[in-house]
């Protein structure tokens, strides 16, 4: 990655927006990438605005690299105020927002975010007015409220998973 993109990703990681579970969400989407082991879940809540159902809030949780977290942070801001159809019309490369174009080795990060967004917004029935949280397109344990619960509900060793946050100066071999 070039230095400018690295700095923008670091800034997005220092001040992530919309991270965490959204209580009473109208839609939830979860995707995972078996090639790299990343997972991302996105929650969406709607509001009525001038007779249209628009996205009021979108939040996310990610078990992935810094770039995926940065793109999810940008994308959840970008889709606010849009209808589901307008958000679904965004292209993968649009979701990285202020980060700018991603290098080829990081495009999968934006694709992960796009997949979670599509899973949440393109659920059964009318995409502009989902009545209840949509099922994830990737296998996620039924009833799991957040990403950590989803991971712990799987075949985790006794005691669950331990997630360690690395310092900014720690080498990240996946990036």
């Amino acid at each position: 990655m070039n230095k400018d993109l690295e700095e923008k990703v670091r800034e997005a990681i220092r001040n992530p927006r919309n991270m965490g579970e959204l209580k009473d969400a109208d839609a939830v989407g979860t995707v995972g990438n078996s090639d790299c082991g990343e997972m991302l879940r996105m929650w969406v809540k709607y509001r009525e605005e001038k007779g249209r159902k628009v996205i009021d809030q979108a939040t996310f949780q990610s078990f992935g690299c810094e770039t995926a977290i940065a793109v999810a942070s940008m994308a959840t801001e970008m889709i606010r105020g849009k209808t589901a159809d307008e958000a679904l019309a965004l292209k993968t490369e649009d979701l990285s927002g202020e980060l700018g174009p991603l290098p080829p080795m990081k495009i999968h990060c934006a694709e992960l975010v796009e997949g979670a967004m599509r899973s949440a917004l393109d659920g059964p029935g009318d995409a502009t007015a989902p009545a209840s949280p949509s099922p994830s397109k990737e296998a996620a344990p039924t009833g799991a409220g957040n990403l950590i619960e989803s991971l712990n509900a799987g075949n985790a060793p006794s005691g669950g998973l331990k997630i360690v946050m690395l310092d900014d100066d720690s080498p990240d071999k996946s990036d």
Side-chain angles (χ1 to χ4, degrees), residues 1 8 18 26 28-29 34 37 50 63 75 85-86 97 105 131 133 143 149 153 156 160-161 171 174:
M1 269 194 311
K8 287 178 181 178
N18 309 310
D26 296 315
V28 180
S34 61
K50 298 178 184 173
F63 184 69
D85 287 338
E86 291 167 343
M105 67 186 170
E149 290 170 1
L161 298 174
S174 68

Side-chain angles (χ1 to χ4, degrees), residues 3-79:
K3 294 285 185 192
D4 186 43
L5 179 57
E6 283 182 31
E7 183 52 40
K8 287 178 181 178
V9 168
R10 281 197 187 116
E11 178 58 32
I13 293 298
R14 279 191 288 270
N15 299 302
R17 296 181 176 173
N18 309 310
M19 188 182 294
E21 183 178 350
L22 179 60
K23 297 288 183 193
D24 300 321
D26 296 315
V28 180
T30 304
V31 295
N33 183 330
S34 61
D35 292 338
C36 64
E38 295 178 341
M39 288 182 65
L40 194 125
R41 178 170 282 172
M42 187 176 288
W43 288 264
V44 176
K45 181 107 177 126
Y46 293 94
R47 73 172 188 271
E48 284 291 324
E49 183 179 274
K50 298 178 184 173
R52 299 180 333 142
K53 190 167 268 197
V54 298
I55 298 167
D56 183 42
Q57 292 179 281
T59 65
F60 74 96
Q61 285 184 332
S62 178
F63 184 69
C65 71
E66 293 176 341
T67 305
I69 294 168
V71 171
S73 181
M74 299 282 174
T76 53
E77 286 290 307
M78 188 178 302
I79 65 173

Side-chain angles (χ1 to χ4, degrees), residues 28-30 119-120 123-124 132-138:
V28 180
T30 304
S119 178
S132 61
S134 61
S136 67
K137 301 253 189 288
E138 295 292 321

Side-chain angles (χ1 to χ4, degrees), residues 132-154:
S132 61
S134 61
S136 67
K137 301 253 189 288
E138 295 292 321
T142 304
N146 63 40
L147 193 55
I148 296 299
E149 290 170 1
S150 295
L151 294 170
N152 286 334

Side-chain angles (χ1 to χ4, degrees), residues 29-31 40-42 111-121:
T30 304
V31 295
L40 194 125
R41 178 170 282 172
M42 187 176 288
E111 290 171 342
L112 188 72
V113 173
E114 180 184 26
M117 182 184 74
R118 288 191 179 288
S119 178
L121 300 178

Side-chain angles (χ1 to χ4, degrees), residues 77-113:
E77 286 290 307
M78 188 178 302
I79 65 173
R80 189 182 276 166
K82 294 183 180 337
T83 65
D85 287 338
E86 291 167 343
L88 290 167
L90 294 170
K91 296 181 170 99
T92 303
E93 57 270 12
D94 297 331
L95 296 176
S96 59
E98 296 169 12
L99 296 175
L102 299 177
M105 67 186 170
K106 290 296 178 182
I107 291 173
H108 75 278
C109 298
E111 290 171 342
L112 188 72
V113 173

